[in-house]
Amino acid sequence: MGFLETIKSTLDNLPSYNEVNLVQAVQSLNLTFNEVSKYVTEPKDLEYGRNVIYRSENVEVIVIHLPSMAKTLIHDHGLSIGCIFVVAGDFLNVLYKLEDKASYPIYDQVEEFSQHEILVVKEDTIHMMYNPTTSPVITFHIYTPPLKGGTTYPSP
């Protein structure tokens, strides 16, 4: 079975779409750089490459490529939850929060993630991924339901 077929089979057969099952699914895929690197795209309109490699009514799978010193926009994921597996590299996950009725999120904290670690994305996660290193970062994302209605925020 090919890589995309394995992803489809694994994700389409989850008993329920919750945080625990998503993390177990990504762990069961035994992701390798060689498999995932075939789906890495170079940046076009953003600082990073973004490639949706699978989508169903329940899940969306995305491969992100953060070149050296690149960052994502500050964003949330709408009503989606998910997990991010670090295929290669090290990055900083800069977390933000909304206070009261503020229209712009304020800085909360920074977490460091390295190869083979998993970052869980909750419904209220507002973050920016930043690669402060000279090496590229490749991450594998699974979201449920598929991303829709998330908010991006302008840089401060």
Side-chain angles (χ1 to χ4, degrees), residues 95-144:
L95 293 166
Y96 296 83
K97 61 185 174 184
L98 287 175
E99 292 212 351
D100 299 323
K101 292 185 169 50
S103 60
Y104 188 81
I106 59 170
Y107 169 81
D108 185 29
Q109 63 180 308
V110 173
E111 304 169 320
E112 294 180 37
F113 286 90
S114 298
Q115 187 171 358
H116 300 148
E117 292 185 330
I118 295 175
L119 161 62
V120 173
V121 176
K122 299 182 182 297
E123 288 174 345
D124 63 349
T125 299
I126 301 172
H127 73 135
M128 172 186 65
M129 296 170 54
Y130 171 56
N131 176 6
T133 73
T134 57
S135 300
V137 171
I138 308 299
T139 54
F140 182 93
H141 303 233
I142 303 174
Y143 297 104
T144 187

mmCIF file of all heavy atoms in Angstrom, residues 95-144:
data_model
loop_
_atom_site.group_PDB
_atom_site.id
_atom_site.type_symbol
_atom_site.label_atom_id
_atom_site.label_comp_id
_atom_site.label_asym_id
_atom_site.label_seq_id
_atom_site.Cartn_x
_atom_site.Cartn_y
_atom_site.Cartn_z
ATOM 1 N N LEU A 95 2.811 30.941 21.083
ATOM 2 C CA LEU A 95 1.396 30.922 21.432
ATOM 3 C C LEU A 95 0.898 32.312 21.797
ATOM 4 O O LEU A 95 1.616 33.105 22.418
ATOM 5 C CB LEU A 95 1.157 29.974 22.603
ATOM 6 C CG LEU A 95 1.398 28.499 22.282
ATOM 7 C CD1 LEU A 95 1.479 27.680 23.560
ATOM 8 C CD2 LEU A 95 0.296 27.976 21.378
ATOM 9 N N TYR A 96 -0.348 32.575 21.427
ATOM 10 C CA TYR A 96 -1.007 33.846 21.702
ATOM 11 C C TYR A 96 -2.350 33.560 22.358
ATOM 12 O O TYR A 96 -2.857 32.440 22.313
ATOM 13 C CB TYR A 96 -1.233 34.626 20.402
ATOM 14 C CG TYR A 96 0.041 35.019 19.719
ATOM 15 C CD1 TYR A 96 0.714 34.120 18.885
ATOM 16 C CD2 TYR A 96 0.593 36.276 19.906
ATOM 17 C CE1 TYR A 96 1.899 34.480 18.264
ATOM 18 C CE2 TYR A 96 1.769 36.645 19.285
ATOM 19 C CZ TYR A 96 2.424 35.732 18.465
ATOM 20 O OH TYR A 96 3.590 36.096 17.858
ATOM 21 N N LYS A 97 -2.935 34.587 22.941
ATOM 22 C CA LYS A 97 -4.270 34.450 23.518
ATOM 23 C C LYS A 97 -5.044 35.736 23.288
ATOM 24 O O LYS A 97 -4.457 36.808 23.112
ATOM 25 C CB LYS A 97 -4.205 34.105 25.004
ATOM 26 C CG LYS A 97 -3.512 35.139 25.857
ATOM 27 C CD LYS A 97 -3.370 34.670 27.292
ATOM 28 C CE LYS A 97 -2.539 35.666 28.074
ATOM 29 N NZ LYS A 97 -2.283 35.256 29.432
ATOM 30 N N LEU A 98 -6.360 35.592 23.270
ATOM 31 C CA LEU A 98 -7.233 36.766 23.180
ATOM 32 C C LEU A 98 -7.696 37.097 24.577
ATOM 33 O O LEU A 98 -8.152 36.225 25.313
ATOM 34 C CB LEU A 98 -8.441 36.466 22.293
ATOM 35 C CG LEU A 98 -8.173 36.368 20.805
ATOM 36 C CD1 LEU A 98 -9.436 35.939 20.063
ATOM 37 C CD2 LEU A 98 -7.666 37.691 20.253
ATOM 38 N N GLU A 99 -7.566 38.351 24.960
ATOM 39 C CA GLU A 99 -8.022 38.770 26.284
ATOM 40 C C GLU A 99 -9.264 39.610 26.133
ATOM 41 O O GLU A 99 -9.307 40.535 25.316
ATOM 42 C CB GLU A 99 -6.921 39.557 26.995
ATOM 43 C CG GLU A 99 -5.750 38.683 27.347
ATOM 44 C CD GLU A 99 -5.078 39.133 28.631
ATOM 45 O OE1 GLU A 99 -5.411 40.202 29.148
ATOM 46 O OE2 GLU A 99 -4.221 38.383 29.102
ATOM 47 N N ASP A 100 -10.268 39.264 26.918
ATOM 48 C CA ASP A 100 -11.550 39.974 26.887
ATOM 49 C C ASP A 100 -12.055 40.068 25.457
ATOM 50 O O ASP A 100 -12.153 39.090 24.761
ATOM 51 C CB ASP A 100 -11.447 41.350 27.555
ATOM 52 C CG ASP A 100 -11.045 41.233 29.023
ATOM 53 O OD1 ASP A 100 -11.493 40.271 29.687
ATOM 54 O OD2 ASP A 100 -10.277 42.083 29.494
ATOM 55 N N LYS A 101 -12.326 41.256 25.019
ATOM 56 C CA LYS A 101 -12.841 41.437 23.668
ATOM 57 C C LYS A 101 -11.777 42.037 22.742
ATOM 58 O O LYS A 101 -12.106 42.721 21.763
ATOM 59 C CB LYS A 101 -14.086 42.316 23.710
ATOM 60 C CG LYS A 101 -15.259 41.630 24.378
ATOM 61 C CD LYS A 101 -16.497 42.482 24.285
ATOM 62 C CE LYS A 101 -17.757 41.825 24.681
ATOM 63 N NZ LYS A 101 -17.970 41.135 25.831
ATOM 64 N N ALA A 102 -10.531 41.767 23.059
ATOM 65 C CA ALA A 102 -9.440 42.285 22.227
ATOM 66 C C ALA A 102 -9.560 41.729 20.811
ATOM 67 O O ALA A 102 -9.912 40.576 20.615
ATOM 68 C CB ALA A 102 -8.091 41.898 22.835
ATOM 69 N N SER A 103 -9.257 42.549 19.828
ATOM 70 C CA SER A 103 -9.366 42.104 18.440
ATOM 71 C C SER A 103 -8.055 41.504 17.938
ATOM 72 O O SER A 103 -8.018 40.898 16.886
ATOM 73 C CB SER A 103 -9.783 43.263 17.548
ATOM 74 O OG SER A 103 -8.816 44.294 17.637
ATOM 75 N N TYR A 104 -6.994 41.694 18.711
ATOM 76 C CA TYR A 104 -5.704 41.170 18.292
ATOM 77 C C TYR A 104 -5.123 40.324 19.422
ATOM 78 O O TYR A 104 -5.131 40.747 20.582
ATOM 79 C CB TYR A 104 -4.738 42.313 17.947
ATOM 80 C CG TYR A 104 -3.478 41.795 17.327
ATOM 81 C CD1 TYR A 104 -3.440 41.469 15.975
ATOM 82 C CD2 TYR A 104 -2.345 41.579 18.093
ATOM 83 C CE1 TYR A 104 -2.296 40.952 15.398
ATOM 84 C CE2 TYR A 104 -1.192 41.068 17.526
ATOM 85 C CZ TYR A 104 -1.181 40.741 16.176
ATOM 86 O OH TYR A 104 -0.056 40.222 15.615
ATOM 87 N N PRO A 105 -4.631 39.135 19.119
ATOM 88 C CA PRO A 105 -4.074 38.282 20.184
ATOM 89 C C PRO A 105 -2.783 38.865 20.749
ATOM 90 O O PRO A 105 -2.027 39.535 20.041
ATOM 91 C CB PRO A 105 -3.819 36.955 19.481
ATOM 92 C CG PRO A 105 -3.748 37.267 18.036
ATOM 93 C CD PRO A 105 -4.565 38.510 17.809
ATOM 94 N N ILE A 106 -2.550 38.582 22.017
ATOM 95 C CA ILE A 106 -1.311 39.021 22.662
ATOM 96 C C ILE A 106 -0.439 37.808 22.942
ATOM 97 O O ILE A 106 -0.932 36.692 23.131
ATOM 98 C CB ILE A 106 -1.589 39.814 23.957
ATOM 99 C CG1 ILE A 106 -2.381 38.980 24.957
ATOM 100 C CG2 ILE A 106 -2.322 41.105 23.655
ATOM 101 C CD1 ILE A 106 -2.482 39.604 26.327
ATOM 102 N N TYR A 107 0.861 38.040 22.965
ATOM 103 C CA TYR A 107 1.833 36.979 23.202
ATOM 104 C C TYR A 107 1.557 36.294 24.536
ATOM 105 O O TYR A 107 1.259 36.940 25.532
ATOM 106 C CB TYR A 107 3.242 37.580 23.199
ATOM 107 C CG TYR A 107 4.300 36.636 23.697
ATOM 108 C CD1 TYR A 107 4.822 35.665 22.857
ATOM 109 C CD2 TYR A 107 4.737 36.686 25.013
ATOM 110 C CE1 TYR A 107 5.782 34.771 23.318
ATOM 111 C CE2 TYR A 107 5.694 35.805 25.483
ATOM 112 C CZ TYR A 107 6.203 34.848 24.630
ATOM 113 O OH TYR A 107 7.146 33.962 25.088
ATOM 114 N N ASP A 108 1.682 34.962 24.543
ATOM 115 C CA ASP A 108 1.488 34.179 25.760
ATOM 116 C C ASP A 108 2.775 33.459 26.159
ATOM 117 O O ASP A 108 3.319 33.697 27.223
ATOM 118 C CB ASP A 108 0.339 33.191 25.564
ATOM 119 C CG ASP A 108 0.000 32.428 26.824
ATOM 120 O OD1 ASP A 108 0.203 32.956 27.937
ATOM 121 O OD2 ASP A 108 -0.477 31.283 26.704
ATOM 122 N N GLN A 109 3.285 32.591 25.277
ATOM 123 C CA GLN A 109 4.490 31.823 25.599
ATOM 124 C C GLN A 109 5.071 31.194 24.334
ATOM 125 O O GLN A 109 4.441 31.206 23.288
ATOM 126 C CB GLN A 109 4.178 30.731 26.612
ATOM 127 C CG GLN A 109 3.201 29.686 26.116
ATOM 128 C CD GLN A 109 2.919 28.610 27.140
ATOM 129 O OE1 GLN A 109 3.849 28.011 27.666
ATOM 130 N NE2 GLN A 109 1.653 28.371 27.423
ATOM 131 N N VAL A 110 6.276 30.622 24.475
ATOM 132 C CA VAL A 110 6.936 29.925 23.372
ATOM 133 C C VAL A 110 7.229 28.494 23.805
ATOM 134 O O VAL A 110 7.692 28.270 24.924
ATOM 135 C CB VAL A 110 8.265 30.613 22.975
ATOM 136 C CG1 VAL A 110 9.020 29.799 21.949
ATOM 137 C CG2 VAL A 110 8.015 32.006 22.445
ATOM 138 N N GLU A 111 6.966 27.564 22.887
ATOM 139 C CA GLU A 111 7.315 26.162 23.109
ATOM 140 C C GLU A 111 8.295 25.758 22.015
ATOM 141 O O GLU A 111 8.195 26.221 20.887
ATOM 142 C CB GLU A 111 6.076 25.262 22.982
ATOM 143 C CG GLU A 111 4.929 25.632 23.891
ATOM 144 C CD GLU A 111 3.656 24.885 23.530
ATOM 145 O OE1 GLU A 111 3.362 24.718 22.320
ATOM 146 O OE2 GLU A 111 2.953 24.471 24.466
ATOM 147 N N GLU A 112 9.216 24.861 22.356
ATOM 148 C CA GLU A 112 10.166 24.351 21.373
ATOM 149 C C GLU A 112 9.768 22.934 20.987
ATOM 150 O O GLU A 112 9.416 22.130 21.851
ATOM 151 C CB GLU A 112 11.581 24.336 21.951
ATOM 152 C CG GLU A 112 12.125 25.711 22.240
ATOM 153 C CD GLU A 112 13.542 25.668 22.807
ATOM 154 O OE1 GLU A 112 14.340 24.806 22.382
ATOM 155 O OE2 GLU A 112 13.837 26.492 23.679
ATOM 156 N N PHE A 113 9.838 22.645 19.689
ATOM 157 C CA PHE A 113 9.542 21.303 19.202
ATOM 158 C C PHE A 113 10.662 20.837 18.297
ATOM 159 O O PHE A 113 11.217 21.620 17.531
ATOM 160 C CB PHE A 113 8.204 21.272 18.448
ATOM 161 C CG PHE A 113 7.029 21.373 19.376
ATOM 162 C CD1 PHE A 113 6.513 22.609 19.721
ATOM 163 C CD2 PHE A 113 6.464 20.237 19.932
ATOM 164 C CE1 PHE A 113 5.442 22.718 20.590
ATOM 165 C CE2 PHE A 113 5.399 20.331 20.812
ATOM 166 C CZ PHE A 113 4.885 21.569 21.141
ATOM 167 N N SER A 114 10.976 19.540 18.398
ATOM 168 C CA SER A 114 12.053 18.935 17.625
ATOM 169 C C SER A 114 11.536 17.716 16.873
ATOM 170 O O SER A 114 10.428 17.241 17.110
ATOM 171 C CB SER A 114 13.192 18.498 18.552
ATOM 172 O OG SER A 114 13.729 19.620 19.207
ATOM 173 N N GLN A 115 12.391 17.209 16.001
ATOM 174 C CA GLN A 115 12.062 16.046 15.180
ATOM 175 C C GLN A 115 11.416 14.932 16.006
ATOM 176 O O GLN A 115 11.862 14.621 17.102
ATOM 177 C CB GLN A 115 13.331 15.532 14.512
ATOM 178 C CG GLN A 115 13.077 14.430 13.509
ATOM 179 C CD GLN A 115 14.320 14.101 12.706
ATOM 180 O OE1 GLN A 115 15.371 14.717 12.865
ATOM 181 N NE2 GLN A 115 14.203 13.130 11.834
ATOM 182 N N HIS A 116 10.329 14.367 15.472
ATOM 183 C CA HIS A 116 9.553 13.251 16.032
ATOM 184 C C HIS A 116 8.653 13.646 17.200
ATOM 185 O O HIS A 116 8.014 12.784 17.781
ATOM 186 C CB HIS A 116 10.444 12.065 16.401
ATOM 187 C CG HIS A 116 11.177 11.519 15.218
ATOM 188 N ND1 HIS A 116 12.418 10.951 15.325
ATOM 189 C CD2 HIS A 116 10.855 11.470 13.906
ATOM 190 C CE1 HIS A 116 12.830 10.579 14.121
ATOM 191 N NE2 HIS A 116 11.890 10.889 13.248
ATOM 192 N N GLU A 117 8.598 14.918 17.550
ATOM 193 C CA GLU A 117 7.676 15.350 18.601
ATOM 194 C C GLU A 117 6.334 15.716 17.988
ATOM 195 O O GLU A 117 6.235 16.003 16.794
ATOM 196 C CB GLU A 117 8.257 16.528 19.384
ATOM 197 C CG GLU A 117 9.461 16.141 20.219
ATOM 198 C CD GLU A 117 9.977 17.273 21.085
ATOM 199 O OE1 GLU A 117 9.847 18.448 20.698
ATOM 200 O OE2 GLU A 117 10.531 16.963 22.155
ATOM 201 N N ILE A 118 5.298 15.697 18.834
ATOM 202 C CA ILE A 118 3.945 15.989 18.386
ATOM 203 C C ILE A 118 3.388 17.181 19.165
ATOM 204 O O ILE A 118 3.451 17.209 20.385
ATOM 205 C CB ILE A 118 3.021 14.768 18.569
ATOM 206 C CG1 ILE A 118 3.480 13.620 17.671
ATOM 207 C CG2 ILE A 118 1.564 15.138 18.270
ATOM 208 C CD1 ILE A 118 2.716 12.325 17.870
ATOM 209 N N LEU A 119 2.848 18.119 18.428
ATOM 210 C CA LEU A 119 2.184 19.299 18.985
ATOM 211 C C LEU A 119 0.682 19.107 18.799
ATOM 212 O O LEU A 119 0.227 18.816 17.694
ATOM 213 C CB LEU A 119 2.661 20.544 18.227
ATOM 214 C CG LEU A 119 1.838 21.824 18.286
ATOM 215 C CD1 LEU A 119 1.737 22.350 19.704
ATOM 216 C CD2 LEU A 119 2.435 22.875 17.379
ATOM 217 N N VAL A 120 -0.082 19.233 19.878
ATOM 218 C CA VAL A 120 -1.537 19.110 19.810
ATOM 219 C C VAL A 120 -2.142 20.501 19.626
ATOM 220 O O VAL A 120 -1.765 21.441 20.317
ATOM 221 C CB VAL A 120 -2.094 18.426 21.074
ATOM 222 C CG1 VAL A 120 -3.612 18.447 21.090
ATOM 223 C CG2 VAL A 120 -1.574 16.991 21.174
ATOM 224 N N VAL A 121 -3.064 20.613 18.681
ATOM 225 C CA VAL A 121 -3.748 21.871 18.392
ATOM 226 C C VAL A 121 -5.179 21.750 18.907
ATOM 227 O O VAL A 121 -5.935 20.897 18.452
ATOM 228 C CB VAL A 121 -3.752 22.154 16.880
ATOM 229 C CG1 VAL A 121 -4.555 23.410 16.571
ATOM 230 C CG2 VAL A 121 -2.333 22.281 16.358
ATOM 231 N N LYS A 122 -5.515 22.597 19.868
ATOM 232 C CA LYS A 122 -6.863 22.599 20.439
ATOM 233 C C LYS A 122 -7.719 23.660 19.761
ATOM 234 O O LYS A 122 -7.196 24.494 19.012
ATOM 235 C CB LYS A 122 -6.780 22.836 21.938
ATOM 236 C CG LYS A 122 -5.981 21.751 22.673
ATOM 237 C CD LYS A 122 -5.951 21.996 24.165
ATOM 238 C CE LYS A 122 -5.125 20.974 24.894
ATOM 239 N NZ LYS A 122 -5.612 19.621 24.818
ATOM 240 N N GLU A 123 -9.008 23.634 20.030
ATOM 241 C CA GLU A 123 -9.917 24.587 19.380
ATOM 242 C C GLU A 123 -9.555 26.040 19.658
ATOM 243 O O GLU A 123 -9.826 26.909 18.849
ATOM 244 C CB GLU A 123 -11.355 24.323 19.812
ATOM 245 C CG GLU A 123 -11.926 23.057 19.222
ATOM 246 C CD GLU A 123 -13.296 22.736 19.776
ATOM 247 O OE1 GLU A 123 -13.698 23.321 20.800
ATOM 248 O OE2 GLU A 123 -13.967 21.884 19.177
ATOM 249 N N ASP A 124 -8.944 26.312 20.807
ATOM 250 C CA ASP A 124 -8.630 27.698 21.144
ATOM 251 C C ASP A 124 -7.173 28.075 20.870
ATOM 252 O O ASP A 124 -6.724 29.139 21.258
ATOM 253 C CB ASP A 124 -8.981 27.990 22.604
ATOM 254 C CG ASP A 124 -8.170 27.152 23.594
ATOM 255 O OD1 ASP A 124 -7.478 26.194 23.175
ATOM 256 O OD2 ASP A 124 -8.229 27.468 24.795
ATOM 257 N N THR A 125 -6.425 27.207 20.188
ATOM 258 C CA THR A 125 -5.012 27.489 19.906
ATOM 259 C C THR A 125 -4.885 28.630 18.897
ATOM 260 O O THR A 125 -5.453 28.584 17.817
ATOM 261 C CB THR A 125 -4.295 26.240 19.359
ATOM 262 O OG1 THR A 125 -4.336 25.196 20.335
ATOM 263 C CG2 THR A 125 -2.839 26.544 19.015
ATOM 264 N N ILE A 126 -4.129 29.645 19.297
ATOM 265 C CA ILE A 126 -3.717 30.720 18.392
ATOM 266 C C ILE A 126 -2.196 30.698 18.425
ATOM 267 O O ILE A 126 -1.597 30.808 19.502
ATOM 268 C CB ILE A 126 -4.237 32.103 18.851
ATOM 269 C CG1 ILE A 126 -5.763 32.108 18.944
ATOM 270 C CG2 ILE A 126 -3.757 33.185 17.892
ATOM 271 C CD1 ILE A 126 -6.324 33.374 19.574
ATOM 272 N N HIS A 127 -1.569 30.529 17.265
ATOM 273 C CA HIS A 127 -0.114 30.384 17.281
ATOM 274 C C HIS A 127 0.530 30.819 15.974
ATOM 275 O O HIS A 127 -0.143 31.100 14.986
ATOM 276 C CB HIS A 127 0.261 28.927 17.606
ATOM 277 C CG HIS A 127 0.014 27.965 16.487
ATOM 278 N ND1 HIS A 127 0.932 27.011 16.111
ATOM 279 C CD2 HIS A 127 -1.041 27.784 15.657
ATOM 280 C CE1 HIS A 127 0.451 26.298 15.121
ATOM 281 N NE2 HIS A 127 -0.746 26.745 14.828
ATOM 282 N N MET A 128 1.853 30.843 16.020
ATOM 283 C CA MET A 128 2.699 31.066 14.866
ATOM 284 C C MET A 128 3.844 30.069 14.978
ATOM 285 O O MET A 128 4.441 29.931 16.048
ATOM 286 C CB MET A 128 3.265 32.492 14.861
ATOM 287 C CG MET A 128 4.314 32.722 13.786
ATOM 288 S SD MET A 128 5.104 34.347 13.906
ATOM 289 C CE MET A 128 5.963 34.232 15.455
ATOM 290 N N MET A 129 4.131 29.361 13.905
ATOM 291 C CA MET A 129 5.286 28.473 13.879
ATOM 292 C C MET A 129 6.449 29.247 13.270
ATOM 293 O O MET A 129 6.291 29.892 12.229
ATOM 294 C CB MET A 129 4.969 27.226 13.049
ATOM 295 C CG MET A 129 3.857 26.384 13.644
ATOM 296 S SD MET A 129 3.256 25.068 12.545
ATOM 297 C CE MET A 129 4.769 24.205 12.142
ATOM 298 N N TYR A 130 7.617 29.171 13.929
ATOM 299 C CA TYR A 130 8.784 29.941 13.483
ATOM 300 C C TYR A 130 10.010 29.043 13.474
ATOM 301 O O TYR A 130 10.290 28.349 14.454
ATOM 302 C CB TYR A 130 8.995 31.140 14.410
ATOM 303 C CG TYR A 130 10.284 31.881 14.190
ATOM 304 C CD1 TYR A 130 10.609 32.399 12.936
ATOM 305 C CD2 TYR A 130 11.183 32.066 15.228
ATOM 306 C CE1 TYR A 130 11.804 33.075 12.734
ATOM 307 C CE2 TYR A 130 12.384 32.753 15.037
ATOM 308 C CZ TYR A 130 12.687 33.249 13.790
ATOM 309 O OH TYR A 130 13.869 33.914 13.590
ATOM 310 N N ASN A 131 10.735 29.066 12.365
ATOM 311 C CA ASN A 131 11.963 28.300 12.239
ATOM 312 C C ASN A 131 13.157 29.243 12.399
ATOM 313 O O ASN A 131 13.540 29.922 11.448
ATOM 314 C CB ASN A 131 12.027 27.610 10.874
ATOM 315 C CG ASN A 131 13.337 26.885 10.652
ATOM 316 O OD1 ASN A 131 14.174 26.793 11.545
ATOM 317 N ND2 ASN A 131 13.533 26.371 9.454
ATOM 318 N N PRO A 132 13.778 29.291 13.600
ATOM 319 C CA PRO A 132 14.894 30.200 13.818
ATOM 320 C C PRO A 132 16.248 29.599 13.422
ATOM 321 O O PRO A 132 17.281 30.190 13.700
ATOM 322 C CB PRO A 132 14.833 30.432 15.333
ATOM 323 C CG PRO A 132 14.366 29.110 15.858
ATOM 324 C CD PRO A 132 13.384 28.605 14.829
ATOM 325 N N THR A 133 16.239 28.436 12.785
ATOM 326 C CA THR A 133 17.487 27.725 12.488
ATOM 327 C C THR A 133 17.904 27.906 11.032
ATOM 328 O O THR A 133 17.170 28.476 10.230
ATOM 329 C CB THR A 133 17.324 26.210 12.781
ATOM 330 O OG1 THR A 133 16.507 25.618 11.764
ATOM 331 C CG2 THR A 133 16.713 25.968 14.154
ATOM 332 N N THR A 134 19.067 27.369 10.699
ATOM 333 C CA THR A 134 19.563 27.419 9.320
ATOM 334 C C THR A 134 19.122 26.201 8.517
ATOM 335 O O THR A 134 19.400 26.110 7.329
ATOM 336 C CB THR A 134 21.102 27.520 9.304
ATOM 337 O OG1 THR A 134 21.645 26.419 10.017
ATOM 338 C CG2 THR A 134 21.572 28.825 9.927
ATOM 339 N N SER A 135 18.428 25.267 9.146
ATOM 340 C CA SER A 135 17.942 24.063 8.471
ATOM 341 C C SER A 135 16.436 24.158 8.251
ATOM 342 O O SER A 135 15.733 24.784 9.047
ATOM 343 C CB SER A 135 18.229 22.819 9.325
ATOM 344 O OG SER A 135 19.607 22.679 9.546
ATOM 345 N N PRO A 136 15.921 23.515 7.204
ATOM 346 C CA PRO A 136 14.478 23.550 6.985
ATOM 347 C C PRO A 136 13.723 22.724 8.025
ATOM 348 O O PRO A 136 14.283 21.811 8.637
ATOM 349 C CB PRO A 136 14.309 22.947 5.588
ATOM 350 C CG PRO A 136 15.547 22.173 5.337
ATOM 351 C CD PRO A 136 16.634 22.801 6.156
ATOM 352 N N VAL A 137 12.463 23.072 8.226
ATOM 353 C CA VAL A 137 11.560 22.320 9.093
ATOM 354 C C VAL A 137 10.452 21.750 8.216
ATOM 355 O O VAL A 137 9.883 22.470 7.380
ATOM 356 C CB VAL A 137 10.950 23.229 10.189
ATOM 357 C CG1 VAL A 137 9.848 22.502 10.944
ATOM 358 C CG2 VAL A 137 12.024 23.706 11.148
ATOM 359 N N ILE A 138 10.162 20.462 8.409
ATOM 360 C CA ILE A 138 9.069 19.797 7.705
ATOM 361 C C ILE A 138 8.113 19.249 8.760
ATOM 362 O O ILE A 138 8.538 18.527 9.667
ATOM 363 C CB ILE A 138 9.572 18.630 6.824
ATOM 364 C CG1 ILE A 138 10.711 19.064 5.901
ATOM 365 C CG2 ILE A 138 8.409 17.985 6.072
ATOM 366 C CD1 ILE A 138 10.365 20.135 4.919
ATOM 367 N N THR A 139 6.827 19.610 8.648
ATOM 368 C CA THR A 139 5.837 19.131 9.607
ATOM 369 C C THR A 139 4.658 18.502 8.864
ATOM 370 O O THR A 139 4.340 18.874 7.731
ATOM 371 C CB THR A 139 5.340 20.267 10.520
ATOM 372 O OG1 THR A 139 4.873 21.351 9.716
ATOM 373 C CG2 THR A 139 6.441 20.747 11.459
ATOM 374 N N PHE A 140 4.005 17.559 9.536
ATOM 375 C CA PHE A 140 2.871 16.797 9.013
ATOM 376 C C PHE A 140 1.685 17.081 9.921
ATOM 377 O O PHE A 140 1.745 16.818 11.119
ATOM 378 C CB PHE A 140 3.244 15.306 9.036
ATOM 379 C CG PHE A 140 2.211 14.378 8.488
ATOM 380 C CD1 PHE A 140 2.237 13.997 7.156
ATOM 381 C CD2 PHE A 140 1.228 13.844 9.315
ATOM 382 C CE1 PHE A 140 1.303 13.106 6.651
ATOM 383 C CE2 PHE A 140 0.286 12.958 8.821
ATOM 384 C CZ PHE A 140 0.316 12.587 7.489
ATOM 385 N N HIS A 141 0.598 17.650 9.374
ATOM 386 C CA HIS A 141 -0.538 18.111 10.160
ATOM 387 C C HIS A 141 -1.781 17.297 9.835
ATOM 388 O O HIS A 141 -2.062 17.055 8.657
ATOM 389 C CB HIS A 141 -0.862 19.574 9.822
ATOM 390 C CG HIS A 141 0.290 20.505 10.024
ATOM 391 N ND1 HIS A 141 0.188 21.641 10.793
ATOM 392 C CD2 HIS A 141 1.564 20.491 9.557
ATOM 393 C CE1 HIS A 141 1.343 22.280 10.789
ATOM 394 N NE2 HIS A 141 2.201 21.598 10.039
ATOM 395 N N ILE A 142 -2.541 16.939 10.867
ATOM 396 C CA ILE A 142 -3.856 16.336 10.681
ATOM 397 C C ILE A 142 -4.859 17.187 11.449
ATOM 398 O O ILE A 142 -4.665 17.453 12.635
ATOM 399 C CB ILE A 142 -3.928 14.890 11.228
ATOM 400 C CG1 ILE A 142 -2.881 13.985 10.581
ATOM 401 C CG2 ILE A 142 -5.334 14.313 11.014
ATOM 402 C CD1 ILE A 142 -2.829 12.590 11.192
ATOM 403 N N TYR A 143 -5.931 17.617 10.763
ATOM 404 C CA TYR A 143 -6.979 18.415 11.399
ATOM 405 C C TYR A 143 -8.345 17.761 11.201
ATOM 406 O O TYR A 143 -8.615 17.185 10.145
ATOM 407 C CB TYR A 143 -7.032 19.832 10.808
ATOM 408 C CG TYR A 143 -5.771 20.607 11.048
ATOM 409 C CD1 TYR A 143 -4.845 20.804 10.035
ATOM 410 C CD2 TYR A 143 -5.491 21.135 12.310
ATOM 411 C CE1 TYR A 143 -3.677 21.506 10.271
ATOM 412 C CE2 TYR A 143 -4.326 21.835 12.545
ATOM 413 C CZ TYR A 143 -3.424 22.014 11.527
ATOM 414 O OH TYR A 143 -2.261 22.709 11.753
ATOM 415 N N THR A 144 -9.175 17.862 12.230
ATOM 416 C CA THR A 144 -10.564 17.437 12.128
ATOM 417 C C THR A 144 -11.447 18.455 12.809
ATOM 418 O O THR A 144 -11.096 18.914 13.895
ATOM 419 C CB THR A 144 -10.782 16.028 12.740
ATOM 420 O OG1 THR A 144 -12.129 15.607 12.469
ATOM 421 C CG2 THR A 144 -10.529 15.987 14.225
#
